[in-house]
Amino acid sequence: MKHNKNDLREMSITFAISVAEVCKDIKGNQVYKQQIIKSSSSIGANLFEAKYAQSRADFINKLEISLKECSETEYWLEVLFRQSLICEKEYKQLNNVRGTIQRMLIASITTAKNNDNKSSKQ
């Protein structure tokens, strides 16, 4: 299935909202909640920043930061699940969406790097 950058942006917004909604039901553990809300919302924030990148390298850098935030979110999801702060269903649903976003980011980064290599050889 082919996705475009708008799909990725929309998915990142929906994902950040879903994470925040799940965190509303978690009692205590403010640090965990703050960290996962920050990392999950940063995925999309960096995607939006990439739209106004100053160069191809800056664009790629913003996408790579989004990818790192996606990885950090995976960590916090695992922590919340292992601490029984979210149920297995929530964990799997969120992690599935996160994984889709991650794959889309990797594909976007690969494409951007390949396009950058093509243009530098001309």
Side-chain angles (χ1 to χ4, degrees):
M1 176 193 262
K2 181 121 170 108
H3 295 283
N4 67 40
K5 63 185 174 189
N6 291 328
D7 292 339
L8 183 54
R9 287 184 191 153
E10 185 58 37
M11 189 177 285
S12 70
I13 292 169
T14 302
F15 179 67
I17 292 168
S18 295
V19 168
E21 286 296 316
V22 166
C23 286
K24 284 181 180 178
D25 295 332
I26 297 173
K27 305 294 183 229
N29 296 288
Q30 284 302 112
V31 173
Y32 293 168
K33 291 191 307 190
Q34 289 171 347
Q35 291 288 37
I36 195 166
I37 289 170
K38 182 180 174 201
S39 64
S40 65
S41 61
S42 186
I43 297 166
N46 280 286
L47 281 172
F48 273 74
E49 281 188 45
K51 182 177 179 180
Y52 296 103
Q54 297 173 343
S55 65
R56 174 69 68 183
D58 187 34
F59 176 78
I60 292 168
N61 183 56
K62 297 295 186 215
L63 293 181
E64 288 176 335
I65 292 170
S66 287
L67 184 59
K68 287 179 181 181
E69 295 294 339
C70 197
S71 180
E72 181 179 339
T73 301
E74 180 180 20
Y75 169 79
W76 289 114
L77 282 171
E78 182 78 19
V79 168
L80 292 175
F81 177 64
R82 287 190 186 192
Q83 290 284 312
S84 300
L85 297 171
I86 59 174
C87 69
E88 185 174 4
K89 180 181 176 187
E90 289 171 321
Y91 169 73
K92 285 183 176 181
Q93 286 175 339
L94 290 172
N95 204 40
N96 185 42
V97 174
R98 187 214 51 80
T100 301
I101 292 170
Q102 180 176 335
R103 288 185 295 279
M104 291 171 72
L105 282 167
I106 291 168
S108 296
I109 292 165
T110 301
T111 299
K113 285 181 176 180
N114 287 341
N115 289 343
D116 194 37
N117 288 338
K118 287 177 187 174
S119 67
S120 67
K121 290 180 181 179
Q122 294 177 351

